[in-house]
Amino acid sequence: MAIRCLPASYSDGRAVPELVSFVPVLFVPGLACLVLAALWRRRVLFVVSAAALATIAVWHIGYFVPTSRVSSSAVTSVQASASTSDNAARIMTLNTYNGNASAAEIVALVKSYNVEVLCLEELTDAEVKALNAAGLDSALPYHVISDAASEINNGGRNGIWTAAPMSNVSTNLLPINTSSMPAADIVVGGTTVRIVAVHPNSPVRGAQNEWSQGLSVIQSLSGYSHAYLLCGDFNSTWDHARFRELLGDTFVDAGEQSGQGFHMTYPSSSKVPSLIEIDHFVYSKSSGIIVSDLEAVAVSGTDHRALIGILEAS
């Protein structure tokens, strides 16, 4: 908890980002300490444990008390069909783990959830061909795939597929030393939404500064007056000071705003439960769009869960 309070300038390196990722898990030992303190009649331990739990709850209040939610009509609309003529759209993002994710399962999710916006990270040429063969281009006929990484390849390229026509397309929105960020505008309910697929570098040994710099590049989008929807593997959680700095006064994280609990996306394995939420939908607040009703879904072949949500434009 003390490490979580460190300012962003002390967050570079590997240890701090990785440890801070597990702050929500502290609910469990904190509660255990509280119960044991009560049983043992240890007053000081009880007070300290209660204070720690209260602090963690305050830090994550947005996960349980909603700030913004899509309307029931938007939920009904996306459940009925993938219509580009209404003001709602199902959205999805997934890190494909170097192109190893099951293309058939991705397309099946797109069809079963009526997905209208799909962002994929760590794409390979083989994965793109497999997705096309599985029918993705028929379900979502418009797409853009990013340029190759400029300096550090953190798994492949990013791609965006949409049901609605794209405009203002970019294969490399801003210079970034990891996977380039593709972007495109689509119209949802009369609102032009600028979609960006992001994947900053993880804080691994040898590229620790790239993590912070990548988040800073994404943060610089706050200087533009678009209704942004940033989708992808941010390699950071709400508890990272750098991620909260990225959000600033311009962006909000759908998971932290919707009051629907945590949606852990990593790791995705039958042996290890998903413990951290590093995949996000980040959007411009006060821009006429809202994202909520999130769901994390397992996909074979990848170490991430797919994150699915609903976007509503006013």
Side-chain angles (χ1 to χ4, degrees):
M1 290 178 65
I3 293 174
R4 199 260 192 196
C5 296
L6 290 174
S9 58
Y10 289 89
S11 297
D12 289 345
R14 182 172 184 175
V16 171
E18 291 189 355
L19 289 172
V20 170
S21 298
F22 296 97
V23 166
V25 182
L26 292 178
F27 273 115
V28 176
L31 184 60
C33 286
L34 186 71
V35 172
L36 290 174
L39 293 174
W40 296 338
R41 297 181 181 180
R42 298 289 185 90
R43 295 180 180 179
V44 174
L45 180 59
F46 183 88
V47 171
V48 172
S49 300
L53 285 173
T55 300
I56 297 171
V58 169
W59 283 346
H60 303 92
I61 192 67
Y63 285 94
F64 305 102
V65 179
T67 302
S68 57
R69 294 278 298 276
V70 300
S71 66
S72 57
S73 61
V75 176
T76 302
S77 179
V78 299
Q79 289 176 341
S81 66
S83 173
T84 59
S85 60
D86 56 18
N87 69 330
R90 186 89 75 172
I91 59 179
M92 172 176 159
T93 185
L94 173 68
N95 183 319
T96 68
Y97 190 44
N98 297 295
N100 287 301
S102 168
E105 290 185 25
I106 292 173
V107 175
L109 282 177
V110 167
K111 293 180 177 179
S112 63
Y113 278 86
N114 296 323
V115 171
E116 296 178 48
V117 176
L118 172 67
C119 293
L120 298 176
E121 301 83 54
E122 294 196 11
L123 286 169
T124 61
D125 292 340
E127 179 79 346
V128 173
K129 291 179 181 178
L131 289 165
N132 184 28
L136 181 59
D137 288 348
S138 297
L140 301 175
Y142 306 95
H143 74 269
V144 56
I145 298 174
S146 72
D147 296 337
S150 58
E151 291 187 17
I152 298 176
N153 186 337
N154 58 339
R157 295 177 289 164
N158 303 329
I160 305 171
W161 281 259
T162 64
M166 292 179 172
S167 61
N168 196 19
V169 176
S170 173
T171 57
N172 186 9
L173 185 61
L174 290 173
I176 187 169
N177 288 340
T178 55
S179 58
S180 301
M181 301 187 296
D185 291 355
I186 65 168
V187 176
V188 181
T191 298
T192 299
V193 180
R194 186 141 182 80
I195 302 164
V196 185
V198 305
H199 185 206
N201 207 76
S202 58
V204 296
R205 188 182 304 276
Q208 295 157 348
N209 291 334
E210 301 299 337
W211 175 74
S212 180
Q213 292 174 7
L215 293 174
S216 295
V217 171
I218 298 171
Q219 179 189 3
S220 68
L221 294 175
S222 63
Y224 301 86
S225 58
H226 298 289
Y228 277 111
L229 172 64
L230 314 179
C231 310
D233 173 9
F234 284 74
N235 274 310
S236 55
T237 73
W238 164 254
D239 290 292
H240 287 109
R242 283 294 300 112
F243 183 72
R244 298 194 303 276
E245 187 178 79
L246 179 158
L247 298 176
D249 297 326
T250 302
F251 299 124
V252 292
D253 174 34
E256 194 273 333
Q257 291 278 297
S258 60
Q260 297 172 306
F262 298 105
H263 300 86
M264 305 305 190
T265 57
Y266 183 86
S268 180
S269 168
S270 59
K271 298 180 180 179
V272 180
S274 299
L275 296 173
I276 58 179
E277 188 172 330
I278 58 176
D279 299 271
H280 302 273
F281 295 125
V282 170
Y283 61 96
S284 304
K285 65 181 180 181
S286 304
S287 64
I289 62 175
I290 294 173
V291 177
S292 71
D293 284 55
L294 307 185
E295 184 177 349
V297 182
V299 176
S300 299
T302 176
D303 55 351
H304 285 247
R305 287 176 175 265
L307 184 65
I308 302 174
I310 297 175
L311 178 146
E312 182 177 22
S314 58

